[in-house]
Amino acid sequence: MSRSPSPFHTAAEVVRRLREVGFEPIDEAGPWPTPPGRHLLVRGGTVIAWATDGGRSLDAGFRIVGAHTDSPNLRVRPHPDTGAVGFRQIGVEVYGGVLLNSWLDRDLGLSGRSRSGLARCDA
């Protein structure tokens, strides 16, 4: 969890681990590789990876493995700057099936992506 506090951090960590074992990123808008190899594609918080070898027929079938990288959380609203009675607040909204009672006894932090890339703030 410490390396992946948001879906975007999780995708970045998955890419890092896949690159360590030989997967190469491709540009979705560019030509897709036709020779056998290990490839991956990233779009936001989503990673798709596949490996092909030269000895398999297209008729032999294939396997797909998937995982869900995000979890219930509080997401910062598009216009989050709010406040009242002299306090500044960050406007958030519930995403997924959040169990709010379990959050009452822990510190909250911010993580996600900014225009310049991934961001994390442990508060």
Side-chain angles (χ1 to χ4, degrees):
M1 178 71 173
S2 63
R3 289 189 180 184
S4 304
S6 76
F8 307 104
H9 288 89
T10 301
E13 178 64 13
V14 166
V15 168
R16 184 189 70 76
R17 291 181 183 195
L18 287 171
R19 292 197 73 173
E20 281 182 356
V21 295
F23 282 79
E24 291 297 324
I26 68 163
D27 178 6
E28 183 176 7
W32 283 47
T34 53
R38 293 176 165 194
H39 310 284
L40 66 93
L41 175 67
V42 181
R43 185 191 295 172
T46 302
V47 178
I48 301 169
W50 67 96
T52 56
D53 60 36
R56 291 184 63 95
S57 161
L58 293 176
D59 297 330
F62 56 92
R63 293 184 181 148
I64 298 174
V65 177
H68 190 67
T69 61
D70 61 348
S71 60
N73 58 59
L74 299 174
R75 293 208 171 164
V76 177
R77 291 181 180 219
H79 302 288
D81 191 15
T82 184
V85 195
F87 290 98
R88 299 307 313 154
Q89 296 174 307
I90 297 176
V92 296
E93 58 194 14
V94 173
Y95 173 80
V98 177
L99 302 173
L100 294 174
N101 278 348
S102 69
W103 292 31
L104 296 176
D105 63 347
R106 65 186 77 186
D107 294 332
L108 296 177
L110 294 175
S111 67
R113 63 181 176 171
S114 66
R115 291 183 185 167
S116 60
L118 294 179
R120 179 175 175 188
C121 173
D122 292 322

